[in-house]
């Protein structure tokens, strides 16, 4: 790790020997004399290996916590495990990498716009939606959505609809992947929430947000105010208080992207509340229970927040249909507690 004088030495652009390919993997070599020997022995086009001094930050990168390493560490905590869960997660990770790659070149690959198809709810699908669904289905068969939840199956040789229609509290793991200028995968296996960011140069998800904890209170609310005229009383009162607090506090800031993953991700990191309530147009809510409400509620609770449907804890809901919908309020513990109080007050006066 150091020379005789104690200065760290890093060798960059190690040249492959034998069957290895040339790579930019950073390695730390011990011994000043050894550096010279390697530099003299291995050249690329007559170019000597570049030796850099005191690159402490790069040296530390040799001990990165990748998502593969993280999942294997979690598996080692359960001696009885057979590795099935680890394999499943590795296929989900592969699907995320594939979609991330597709998003980065969506314009060139003509993946922007509508696909000319509709989903089971009659909604027009975008080309990337269709592609990501196909990627995850194939990845998991060989082992989707960007939001995912994992349950235990009682009999893998005889999977029934009842195995799918389980309450969210039975979930073993949940997560989501967010694509954009960077690719972020947020995952919980039931012992906290961790965030990983894809390093394109390594092709690996690196732990960048360990043990995410949502603040107990927040200064941001996230809701589509275009539906305000159709809201029920508790939702209307809560949003009114966010905008015009009567206790002298500063008003909350409205942030609404319209993508559940992006809005929930911000809420998870900075606190606040995400609301998608029932209204006169959609009395049963709009978001799907099994693959939107449950995974996000699981993550929020694992991070110290709450998730509420307007009637009960979200994870206690027992679905009766695969594409069943539900209202949802999730976020900081105190913010959701306030919403619960408003619904309880309305029920008591009814």
């Amino acid at each position: 790790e150091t020379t005789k004088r104690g200065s760290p030495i890093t060798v960059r652009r190690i040249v492959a020997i034998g069957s290895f390919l040339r790579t930019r993997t950073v390695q730390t070599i011990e011994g000043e004399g050894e550096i010279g020997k390697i530099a003299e022995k291995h050249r690329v086009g007559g170019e000597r290996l570049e030796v850099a001094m005191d690159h402490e930050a790069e040296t530390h990168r040799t001990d990165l916590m990748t998502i593969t390493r993280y999942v294997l560490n979690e598996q080692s905590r359960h001696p009885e495990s057979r590795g099935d869960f680890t394999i499943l997660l590795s296929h989900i990770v592969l699907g995320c990498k594939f979609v991330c790659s597709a998003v980065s070149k969506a314009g060139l690959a003509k993946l922007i716009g509508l696909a000319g198809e509709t989903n089971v709810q009659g909604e027009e699908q975008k080309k990337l939606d269709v592609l990501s669904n196909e990627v995850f289905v194939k990845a998991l068969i060989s082992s989707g959505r960007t939001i995912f939840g994992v349950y235990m199956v009682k009999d893998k040789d005889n999977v029934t609809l009842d195995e799918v229609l389980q309450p969210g509290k039975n979930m073993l793991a949940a997560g989501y992947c967010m694509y954009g200028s960077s690719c972020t995968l947020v995952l919980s296996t039931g012992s906290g929430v961790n965030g990983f960011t894809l390093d394109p140069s390594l092709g690996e998800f690196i732990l960048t947000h360990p043990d995410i904890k949502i603040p107990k209170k927040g200064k941001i609310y996230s809701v589509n105010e275009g539906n305000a005229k159709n809201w029920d009383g508790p939702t209307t009162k809560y949003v009114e208080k966010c905008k015009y607090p009567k206790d002298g506090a500063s008003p909350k800031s409205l942030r609404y992207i319209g993508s559940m993953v992006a809005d929930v991700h911000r809420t998870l990191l900075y606190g606040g509340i995400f609301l998608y309530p029932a209204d006169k147009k959609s009395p049963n809510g709009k978001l799907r229970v099994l693959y939107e409400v449950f995974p996000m509620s699981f993550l929020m609770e694992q991070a110290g927040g709450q998730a509420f449907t307007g009637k009960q804890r979200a994870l206690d809901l027992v679905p009766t249909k695969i594409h069943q919908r539900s209202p949802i309020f999730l976020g900081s513990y105190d913010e959701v507690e306030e919403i619960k109080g408003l619904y309880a007050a309305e029920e008591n006066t009814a």
Side-chain angles (χ1 to χ4, degrees):
E1 296 280 338
T2 61
T3 65
K4 294 177 182 178
R5 293 186 297 275
S7 300
I9 289 183
T10 302
V11 175
R12 294 193 218 166
R13 299 196 307 171
I14 300 300
V15 184
I17 304 173
S19 62
F20 291 99
L21 298 175
R22 175 178 175 175
T23 174
R24 291 186 178 180
T25 302
V26 176
Q27 294 186 7
T28 302
I29 307 296
E30 184 178 343
E32 191 172 30
E34 192 68 21
I35 290 287
K37 293 177 184 176
I38 295 175
E40 283 294 333
K41 186 175 180 181
H42 305 298
R43 298 169 179 263
V44 178
E47 180 186 28
R48 278 186 57 165
L49 292 175
E50 178 184 346
V51 177
M53 302 292 291
D54 295 321
H55 282 257
E56 185 177 359
E58 288 188 348
T59 304
H60 286 168
R61 287 177 60 84
T62 61
D63 193 32
L64 296 175
M65 176 62 78
T66 67
I67 193 165
T68 303
R69 180 177 164 193
Y70 171 82
V71 171
L72 288 173
N73 285 351
E74 288 294 300
Q75 179 183 328
S76 68
R77 295 169 53 192
H78 304 277
E80 75 284 0
S81 64
R82 298 176 300 176
D84 294 347
F85 186 42
T86 300
I87 293 171
L88 173 63
L89 288 177
S90 71
H91 288 148
I92 291 174
V93 168
L94 176 61
C96 290
K97 290 178 182 178
F98 189 100
V99 175
C100 182
S101 174
V103 169
S104 68
K105 52 192 176 187
L108 293 174
K110 297 182 181 180
L111 290 171
I112 296 174
L114 298 175
E117 302 175 20
T118 58
N119 61 20
V120 293
Q121 287 85 28
E123 302 162 336
E124 287 189 307
Q125 290 185 290
K126 292 181 173 58
K127 293 176 182 178
L128 278 172
D129 291 335
V130 175
L131 173 66
S132 60
N133 182 70
E134 182 179 345
V135 167
F136 275 94
V137 167
K138 287 184 177 179
L140 294 177
I141 287 175
S142 66
S143 76
R145 298 173 58 89
T146 305
I147 309 172
F148 60 88
V150 180
Y151 293 87
M152 178 69 76
V153 173
K154 296 176 182 176
D155 184 359
K156 67 178 182 178
D157 297 322
N158 184 31
V159 180
T160 65
L161 184 59
D162 289 337
E163 301 275 18
V164 179
L165 301 177
Q166 298 186 51
K169 63 185 179 183
N170 292 354
M171 199 170 280
L172 299 179
Y176 60 82
C177 201
M178 187 170 64
Y179 313 101
S181 56
S182 65
C183 182
T184 303
L185 176 62
V186 176
L187 172 70
S188 174
T189 56
S191 55
V193 181
N194 291 280
F196 302 82
T197 303
L198 182 63
D199 184 335
S201 66
L202 299 176
E204 279 281 7
F205 279 99
I206 308 300
L207 180 63
T208 52
H209 297 76
D211 196 21
I212 297 172
K213 296 295 183 188
I214 185 171
K216 200 160 184 280
K217 289 182 66 70
K219 299 179 180 179
I220 299 173
Y221 70 103
S222 183
V223 66
N224 183 1
E225 291 208 67
N227 294 326
K229 69 175 183 179
N230 296 316
W231 289 342
D232 59 19
T235 302
T236 301
K237 289 178 183 177
Y238 179 81
V239 173
E240 189 74 9
K241 185 177 179 182
C242 288
K243 296 160 70 173
Y244 309 106
K246 296 179 180 179
D247 58 1
S250 298
K252 296 185 188 299
S253 299
L254 171 65
R255 297 286 186 272
Y256 184 71
I257 297 170
S259 161
M260 186 188 192
V261 170
D263 283 317
V264 170
H265 184 69
R266 182 196 57 249
T267 303
L268 196 61
L269 295 182
Y270 301 111
I273 188 167
F274 171 82
L275 310 88
Y276 212 119
D279 58 34
K280 295 175 183 176
K281 293 190 302 179
S282 305
N284 296 318
K286 201 75 181 287
L287 297 177
R288 275 63 64 122
V289 171
L290 285 173
Y291 42 91
E292 290 173 328
V293 171
F294 278 171
M296 293 305 202
S297 298
F298 183 87
L299 289 168
M300 201 59 69
E301 287 198 4
Q302 285 291 318
Q306 291 195 79
F308 179 62
T309 67
K311 295 181 180 178
Q312 64 185 123
R313 175 190 177 218
L315 294 181
D316 287 337
L317 182 64
V318 180
T320 57
K321 296 183 293 185
I322 291 179
H323 303 295
Q324 183 174 327
R325 301 173 188 252
S326 172
I328 188 64
F329 306 87
L330 50 81
S332 295
Y333 191 95
D334 287 356
E335 305 301 333
V336 178
E337 196 67 18
E338 189 170 343
I339 279 279
K340 289 164 69 176
L342 290 171
Y343 274 97
E346 183 181 68
E347 188 176 342
N348 290 336
T349 58

